[in-house]
Amino acid sequence: MAFDIEMIAARYSQMEATITAARKVVGRPLTLTEKILYNHLWNGNATESFGRGKDYVDFAPDRVAMQDATAQMALLQFMQAGRKKVAVPSTVHCDHLITAKDESGVDLNFAVKENKEVYDFLSSVSNKYGIGFWKPGAGIIHQVVLENYAFPGGMMIGTDSHTVNAGGLGMIAIGVGGADACDVMAGLPWELKWPKAIGVKLTGKLNGWTAAKDVILKVAGILTVKGGTGAIVEYFGPGAESLSCTGKGTICNMGAEIGATTSTFGYDESMERYLRSTNRSDVADLANKYKPHLTADPEVYAEPEKYFDQVIEINLDTLEPYVNGPFTPDLATPISKMKEEAAKNGWPLKVEVGLIGSCTNSSYEDISRAASLAKQVADKGLKTKAEFTITPGSELVRYTIQRDGFINTFNQIGAKVFSNACGPCIGMWSRVGAEKKEKNTIVHSFNRNFQARQDGNPNTYAFVASPEITTALAIAGDLGFNPLTDTLTNEKGEKVKLDPPTGEELPKKGFAVEDAGFIAPADDGSAVQVIVDPASSRLQLLAPFKPWEGTDIKGLKLLIKAKGKCTTDHISMAGPWLKFRGHLDNISNNLLIGATNFFNGKTNEVKNQLNGNYEPVPQTQRAYKAQGIGSIVVGDENYGEGSSREHAAMEPRHLGVRAVLVKSFARIHETNLKKQGMLALTFANKDDYDKILEDDSIDVVGLTSFAEGKPLALVLNHKDGSKDEIQVNHTYNAQQIEWFKAGAALNLMKA
């Protein structure tokens, strides 16, 4: 039986009434996205139609999922909420803190010892508050959720931006910060601005070398890293129905890379097959009963231009494999053009490492197709030119692919199998030689390839491709190799061509596992003790942030004017810093150390206005804090792109930054700033970015009449005594303004 089957049945039982009510108030047929959203309204049946991109709406998600790096802060906040148990089904997954270095067994054993304090904390908090706990080695949160918890028509939030992976099973699954998760676990409504709608119509059928990954790589090239911001992407059409469920998950997973709120697909036979294969026939039976409610109304897909704000059409018959990058996941190059583009741009052609797996591409289908290529290495007398690694997404998949001989196939070509964890995808990769900062190329099937993300080397050119193309490029050791047309020279000097990959959507003998890694919580956790050592360097109980002082904020020092891409990786790096995710003060020592200073083009070197010296960003901000001086951060477009990590909002708040002013925000980061009592502001005129000078002292004016839809003003006090006044916009509603006044949303919750 599936987890939480009673909850799923209850959710389905109300769909007829909620969808009928929604159709009445909207006055037209509904998209799948609208059906799910209206079925999860906090206040029950709809009485009004909501404006896309305009109205803030309260929702009642079905469940919450947290990974170990973000769960620490989320649960430290939840412990202050005063509840005895979580209000909705919730889980913690230990996948982020395992470093990929040697091989799965060695790396896992080391992680269990190194992170014992954190794992003990998470397991005890989970046990106390009724949260399901997936221990280290169980797998990556998104793969485990797809295998165990995702269900068509459901809504979930998760403290990781790739929570959207569950859209592969027809959910509305959205990445959030820990404060949002805390609200839902505490039984409060979850607020979201009603999203815009992007429809992607898929026709034809994948063939040859092309994979589901190539769909989202192409979409990323079309929409860019911010083209999906504020929107939900809904895939439909005969091509969508031809994809496997896990292929759909891959597409939804990388929707985070176009800034989309989430992505989803209508319920179909591939989802039914996957549910039954993962021992959830009871969910499949229910979904079949309510099938018309688990996809859009027929009129929507017949004339999509009438119902979506934007429609994209892709023919899978003619879709070519893509390789995206380097340094951004939306720089899309067809495989046939890669050699030419690499030469034009000076990208290193020699592929040093190929890496497959991660939460994005670690399904049985992905691994089996990659293994079919690995098998050809021996069969055709070839030798793999690049290093090759596999990161299984879950113990269920790992155990099954080992049983079916795939791991042995990979071992025969010298591959290394890492733990069932995030590993290299999030920078938890102890790569030999990375410290030399040499220019090199890697290719992976992950989702992100920001500068220095995988191995800490800013000169690693990371490219994103399907597991199949990644494997082929690793075999060839050449970024310019096109397996569709090119040949390789084998050990005998013969010219040979790789055959297109083949594989199975699901294991013919079914999935198998000895220990999936799940630990259920106590029925009554009231006697469970959660202990945090005051001297710990890894965990720190939270102190409330101070409320707003009730006046305009004056005399803010410019901490940094960030130039160009500034993701949450730049604001709060992962990798070795993950160990401090439960200790706000210690992790604040990585604040903005990856951001490029506009004024000198350097990272982690800004002017300390107190002494005129150039110093590291955290050191400078701590100097301001010691003097009781607030500061402001200025940024460029799509500021806060990437991971949902709320540390990127909590660190500046903790160290005394009062406002963040940018050209545009990524959705999750803007919300996280609001939740922590920060001012998240945007330039009314983007050219005013140029008016910010290095020695400025800045006043925020208009806060005593802070109101929804009413701009604020900033006074730029320049060093020479001159001033500029600029208008800044915000998206705060009445409730979010109360968060600001209280000092944080959590302060209001406790009150």
Side-chain angles (χ1 to χ4, degrees), residues 428-687:
M428 293 296 282
W429 181 21
S430 181
R431 184 184 178 191
V432 176
E435 72 284 352
K436 297 176 184 177
K437 302 289 191 288
E438 293 174 341
K439 186 175 179 179
N440 76 105
T441 284
I442 66 172
V443 182
H444 60 63
S445 69
F446 309 158
N447 39 48
R448 291 192 175 135
N449 57 342
F450 303 142
Q451 190 173 44
R453 179 176 172 91
Q454 268 73 53
D455 62 1
N457 178 5
N459 298 312
T460 291
Y461 286 60
F463 294 85
V464 184
S466 68
E468 298 91 327
I469 293 296
T470 299
T471 305
L473 295 182
I475 292 169
D478 181 2
L479 185 65
F481 174 68
N482 180 358
L484 285 73
T485 58
D486 297 349
T487 59
L488 296 169
T489 303
N490 68 11
E491 298 290 279
K492 297 178 181 178
E494 302 166 332
K495 296 285 187 182
V496 296
K497 198 165 182 285
L498 293 175
D499 300 322
T502 58
E504 298 294 333
E505 175 185 343
L506 296 163
K508 290 180 179 177
K509 293 188 286 186
F511 285 105
V513 69
E514 288 184 346
D515 178 10
F518 177 71
I519 301 175
D523 292 331
D524 179 4
S526 57
V528 177
Q529 294 295 310
V530 179
I531 300 172
V532 175
D533 183 351
S536 172
S537 65
R538 302 282 306 261
L539 296 165
Q540 180 187 45
L541 295 176
L542 295 174
F545 292 132
K546 292 180 180 179
W548 172 55
E549 54 267 63
T551 63
D552 288 342
I553 303 174
K554 297 188 176 182
L556 300 180
K557 299 298 185 186
L558 176 66
L559 176 60
I560 187 173
K561 180 176 171 178
K563 179 182 178 181
K565 189 183 281 284
C566 191
T567 71
T568 49
D569 279 275
H570 296 88
I571 304 168
S572 175
M573 285 188 176
W577 291 94
L578 281 175
K579 68 176 66 173
F580 300 121
R581 283 285 180 86
H583 197 293
L584 182 55
D585 193 59
N586 283 348
I587 199 169
S588 293
N589 288 322
N590 77 1
L591 175 64
L592 285 159
I593 63 175
T596 300
N597 182 1
F598 176 90
F599 297 106
N600 60 10
K602 297 181 179 181
T603 58
N604 201 26
E605 188 176 299
V606 296
K607 192 171 187 179
N608 180 337
Q609 292 190 42
L610 298 179
N611 58 26
N613 297 329
Y614 284 90
E615 298 174 351
V617 183
Q619 180 180 326
T620 301
Q621 183 53 40
R622 286 188 185 276
Y624 294 153
K625 182 178 182 179
Q627 297 293 323
I629 300 170
S631 65
I632 184 170
V633 169
V634 175
D636 214 319
E637 296 281 8
N638 207 30
Y639 184 88
E641 170 193 346
S643 167
S644 69
R645 69 190 65 154
E646 65 184 337
H647 299 77
M650 296 186 78
E651 291 176 33
R653 180 74 170 104
H654 171 66
L655 291 183
V657 177
R658 301 297 301 275
V660 178
L661 170 65
V662 300
K663 294 180 182 178
S664 65
F665 281 107
R667 175 191 63 85
I668 300 176
H669 187 62
E670 182 181 23
T671 300
N672 286 345
L673 289 169
K674 292 177 179 180
K675 283 275 184 176
Q676 301 304 333
M678 297 273 281
L679 285 172
L681 309 172
T682 55
F683 290 99
N685 178 0
K686 292 182 180 181
D687 290 340

Side-chain angles (χ1 to χ4, degrees), residues 284-344:
D285 292 341
L286 279 171
N288 287 342
K289 183 178 177 183
Y290 293 94
K291 195 168 186 176
H293 300 317
L294 300 175
T295 189
D297 289 332
E299 299 91 333
V300 173
Y301 294 159
E303 298 183 276
E305 292 79 7
K306 287 186 177 181
Y307 303 96
F308 293 100
D309 300 303
Q310 180 179 357
V311 177
I312 296 168
E313 186 166 339
I314 297 173
N315 183 351
L316 302 185
D317 286 336
T318 58
L319 180 64
E320 187 177 347
Y322 274 77
V323 180
N324 286 26
F327 306 131
T328 185
D330 62 341
L331 182 55
T333 303
I335 189 71
S336 61
K337 302 289 185 185
M338 178 49 76
K339 188 171 186 176
E340 174 187 335
E341 288 298 309
K344 188 195 312 181

Side-chain angles (χ1 to χ4, degrees), residues 12-88:
Y12 282 164
S13 69
Q14 68 183 43
M15 292 189 83
E16 178 72 35
T18 58
I19 291 172
T20 299
R23 275 202 205 96
K24 185 175 180 181
V25 298
V26 175
R28 58 166 172 76
L30 300 176
T31 64
L32 168 63
T33 296
E34 290 170 325
K35 288 182 179 183
I36 299 175
L37 293 177
Y38 278 111
N39 190 42
H40 286 83
L41 294 178
W42 179 260
N43 291 321
N45 288 3
T47 57
E48 62 177 308
S49 177
F50 298 108
R52 292 177 180 175
K54 296 178 181 177
D55 294 329
Y56 282 96
V57 181
D58 286 340
F59 293 99
D62 296 308
R63 64 179 316 109
V64 172
M66 297 163 280
Q67 39 92 337
D68 49 356
T70 53
Q72 296 172 64
M73 200 59 69
L75 293 175
L76 285 165
Q77 292 175 85
F78 179 77
M79 288 168 64
Q80 300 183 52
R83 284 193 65 100
K84 293 183 178 179
K85 196 171 186 177
V86 290
V88 301

Side-chain angles (χ1 to χ4, degrees), residues 172-360:
I172 293 295
I174 300 175
V176 299
D180 279 353
C182 182
D183 284 353
V184 174
M185 291 189 293
L188 299 175
W190 176 64
E191 181 188 73
L192 178 72
K193 184 180 283 187
W194 195 271
K196 293 175 286 185
I198 297 175
V200 179
K201 182 178 182 180
L202 302 179
T203 60
K205 190 174 183 179
L206 295 174
N207 59 86
W209 283 90
T210 311
K213 180 81 158 198
D214 297 304
V215 175
I216 186 58
L217 293 178
K218 183 173 180 64
V219 170
I222 295 169
L223 290 176
T224 78
V225 290
K226 56 181 291 190
T229 302
I232 290 180
V233 183
E234 186 170 323
Y235 292 84
F236 63 95
E241 294 177 13
S242 72
L243 297 170
S244 68
C245 178
T246 52
K248 292 178 172 73
T250 292
I251 292 169
C252 292
N253 182 297
M254 271 197 73
E257 276 57 66
I258 58 171
T261 300
T262 192
S263 306
T264 196
F265 286 78
Y267 177 65
D268 61 16
E269 292 180 1
S270 72
M271 295 185 192
E272 179 182 355
R273 290 193 296 271
Y274 187 73
L275 286 168
R276 296 193 190 283
S277 183
T278 51
N279 294 317
R280 289 175 288 171
S281 290
D282 43 0
V283 178
D285 292 341
L286 279 171
N288 287 342
K289 183 178 177 183
Y290 293 94
K291 195 168 186 176
H293 300 317
L294 300 175
T295 189
D297 289 332
E299 299 91 333
V300 173
Y301 294 159
E303 298 183 276
E305 292 79 7
K306 287 186 177 181
Y307 303 96
F308 293 100
D309 300 303
Q310 180 179 357
V311 177
I312 296 168
E313 186 166 339
I314 297 173
N315 183 351
L316 302 185
D317 286 336
T318 58
L319 180 64
E320 187 177 347
Y322 274 77
V323 180
N324 286 26
F327 306 131
T328 185
D330 62 341
L331 182 55
T333 303
I335 189 71
S336 61
K337 302 289 185 185
M338 178 49 76
K339 188 171 186 176
E340 174 187 335
E341 288 298 309
K344 188 195 312 181
N345 292 285
W347 301 336
L349 280 171
K350 183 184 179 185
V351 176
E352 302 287 348
V353 192
L355 308 98
I356 66 168
S358 87
C359 70
T360 325

